[in-house]
């Protein structure tokens, strides 16, 4: 049905067998897998599978919706979680244009964040299936340690300060600070070893995306964009994966460009990690006078290029 490693690189054999086995008894998971397979073929230049992609995605969404409208049984927990993740991947991949100025960050399309809105479904599914997590045959590959690891790469202290996140993790989805849950999740992901083995854990951040955070991204809130920039930076570390790498690098580069031009000194001081991940060259400070009078200016990149300021100033 799908090639080994199609979604997550070199997948654990137990994980791969489990997903394929579950798909035999759960049609929404089967259709999601077929949609992913068709999308992969289409992305590889085989155009004959576009209709199959949309047909199977439509069926997966319809049957997934029916499944979550009724009480969830233990045997449905894993297939629902995996289907949710596959739907997230399908929507994440939906825009694979590679130029940073083709990113949703530069767009005025009212649907520009539809891909992000879809991601928040993961949190709802994990919440509904929580009673069965301890007996899951799949979530051990997905879950991250509940407490921050003190060794390895860490989230800068200034990040916590600017987001005013001072409380411990606590219950999910109830804190009034919209940065609280997602920043704590990002802190758990930062120390993980870069590479394909961490990809499925990086996707755990989708379960910490809530409407209040999406509203901040909709306004191009600098702190919310910085959080996404760090997540995209992590995703670029997994190597050359067809549905992930180019999109993550594009949006990481777009966020770095935007925040380097328009962010304050503190925001800009926190750009080193995402900038190094996507190859962006941080610039010296940009004065208010330059922003008012220059029609364009050089910003970093690889290679350096001229960027029209109006592209970004429309979104301040």
């Amino acid at each position: 049905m799908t090639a080994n490693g199609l979604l997550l690189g070199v997948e654990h054999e137990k994980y791969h067998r489990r997903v394929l086995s579950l798909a035999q008894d759960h049609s929404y998971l089967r259709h999601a897998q077929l949609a992913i397979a068709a999308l992969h073929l289409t992305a590889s230049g085989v155009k004959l599978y576009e209709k199959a992609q949309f047909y199977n995605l439509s069926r997966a969404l319809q049957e997934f919706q029916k499944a979550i409208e009724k009480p969830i049984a233990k045997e449905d927990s894993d297939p629902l979680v995996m289907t949710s993740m596959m739907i997230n991947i399908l929507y994440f991949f939906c825009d694979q244009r590679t130029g940073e100025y083709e990113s949703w960050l530069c767009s005025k399309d009212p649907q520009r964040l539809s891909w992000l809105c879809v991601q928040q479904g993961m949190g709802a599914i994990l919440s509904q299936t929580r009673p069965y997590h301890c007996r899951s045959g799949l979530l051990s590959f997905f879950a991250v340690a509940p407490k921050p690891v003190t060794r390895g790469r860490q989230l800068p202290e200034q990040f916590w300060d600017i987001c005013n996140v001072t409380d411990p993790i606590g219950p999910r989805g109830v804190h009034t600070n919209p940065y609280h849950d997602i920043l704590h999740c990002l802190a758990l992901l930062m120390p993980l070893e870069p590479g394909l083995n961490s990809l499925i854990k990086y996707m755990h951040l989708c379960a910490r995306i809530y409407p209040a955070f999406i509203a901040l991204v909709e306004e191009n809130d600098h702190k919310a964009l910085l959080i996404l920039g760090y997540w995209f930076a992590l995703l670029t570390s997994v190597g050359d994966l067809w549905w992930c790498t180019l999109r993550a690098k594009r949006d990481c580069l777009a966020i770095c460009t935007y925040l380097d031009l328009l962010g304050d000194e503190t925001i800009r001081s926190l750009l080193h990690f995402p900038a190094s991940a996507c190859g962006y060259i941080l610039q010296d400070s940009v004065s208010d006078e330059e922003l008012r009078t220059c029609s364009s200016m050089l910003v970093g990149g690889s290679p350096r290029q001229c960027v029209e300021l109006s592209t970004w100033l429309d979104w301040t």
Side-chain angles (χ1 to χ4, degrees):
M1 187 179 297
T2 58
N4 185 36
L6 182 61
L7 286 181
L8 305 170
V10 182
E11 295 163 354
H12 194 286
E13 185 179 354
K14 179 182 176 182
Y15 161 86
H16 192 70
R17 287 201 310 266
R18 175 69 172 160
V19 172
L20 291 178
S21 174
L22 289 171
Q24 296 177 27
D25 299 319
H26 297 84
S27 59
Y28 47 84
L29 178 56
R30 183 165 64 251
H31 282 296
Q33 285 184 323
L34 289 170
I36 289 280
L39 177 62
H40 185 225
L41 289 168
T42 301
S44 301
V46 184
K47 301 301 182 183
L48 297 176
Y49 290 90
E50 289 179 335
K51 289 184 178 179
Q53 171 196 329
F54 291 113
Y55 169 77
N56 282 288
L57 175 57
S58 176
R59 289 292 304 274
L61 291 171
Q62 291 172 7
E63 297 181 27
F64 181 77
Q65 184 64 39
K66 291 178 183 178
I68 62 176
E69 287 175 350
K70 56 187 180 182
I72 296 175
K74 173 184 175 295
E75 59 270 19
D76 298 325
S77 175
D78 278 354
L80 285 172
V81 170
M82 295 312 301
T83 301
S84 178
M85 188 175 76
M86 290 182 184
I87 291 171
N88 283 359
I89 288 171
L90 283 158
Y91 276 85
F92 185 88
F93 184 82
C94 66
D95 181 4
Q96 279 293 304
R97 292 173 296 178
T98 56
E100 68 264 39
Y101 309 115
E102 297 175 301
S103 170
W104 51 269
L105 186 56
C106 305
S107 174
K108 294 183 179 181
D109 186 341
Q111 301 299 316
R112 70 190 184 107
L113 292 181
S114 59
W115 69 273
L116 186 62
C117 294
V118 169
Q119 307 302 311
Q120 65 183 322
M122 176 68 77
I125 293 299
L126 286 174
S127 178
Q128 292 181 58
T129 58
R130 186 166 294 124
Y132 310 118
H133 288 181
C134 61
R135 288 170 285 177
S136 169
L138 289 175
L139 288 185
S140 60
F141 301 101
F142 178 75
V144 294
K147 295 182 179 180
V149 178
T150 56
R151 63 183 182 277
R153 184 176 53 202
Q154 301 292 312
L155 203 61
E157 285 296 327
Q158 272 190 309
F159 215 146
W160 301 95
D161 295 338
I162 64 169
C163 293
N164 195 29
V165 175
T166 57
D167 296 332
I169 295 178
R172 301 163 184 169
V174 299
H175 204 283
T176 56
N177 184 338
Y179 308 108
H180 178 272
D181 284 17
I182 197 166
L183 195 64
H184 272 292
C185 183
L186 184 61
L188 296 176
L189 301 179
M190 287 292 288
L192 297 179
E193 187 71 25
L196 278 172
N197 289 337
S198 295
L199 175 59
I200 194 169
K201 296 182 184 295
Y202 290 156
M203 299 307 293
H204 189 83
L205 186 126
C206 298
R208 299 294 174 265
I209 294 174
Y210 300 111
F213 181 79
I214 293 176
L216 292 171
V217 179
E218 184 68 51
E219 298 171 357
N220 282 355
D221 173 83
H222 290 186
K223 290 172 282 190
L225 291 179
L226 189 62
I227 290 171
L228 287 181
Y230 270 63
W231 183 52
F232 288 130
L234 292 174
L235 292 177
T236 65
S237 73
V238 303
D240 187 14
L241 191 60
W242 67 275
W243 63 266
C244 173
T245 310
L246 291 177
R247 165 69 191 275
K249 184 174 182 180
R250 181 202 72 182
D251 286 345
C252 185
L253 185 57
I255 288 173
C256 286
T257 305
Y258 182 88
L259 294 179
D260 196 21
L261 277 172
L262 302 175
D264 62 25
E265 185 176 347
T266 303
I267 289 287
R268 294 178 67 249
S269 71
L270 293 169
L271 285 175
H272 293 283
F273 172 66
S276 63
C278 66
Y280 178 81
I281 302 173
L282 293 168
Q283 302 303 295
D284 295 331
S285 60
V286 181
S287 69
D288 292 340
E289 183 66 21
E290 286 176 302
L291 287 175
R292 286 194 301 269
T293 61
C294 294
S295 61
S296 64
M297 66 176 296
L298 286 177
V299 299
S302 183
R304 292 171 66 87
Q305 54 196 305
C306 190
V307 177
E308 294 297 326
L309 281 180
S310 58
T311 303
W312 306 104
L313 294 179
D314 284 344
W315 291 98
T316 56

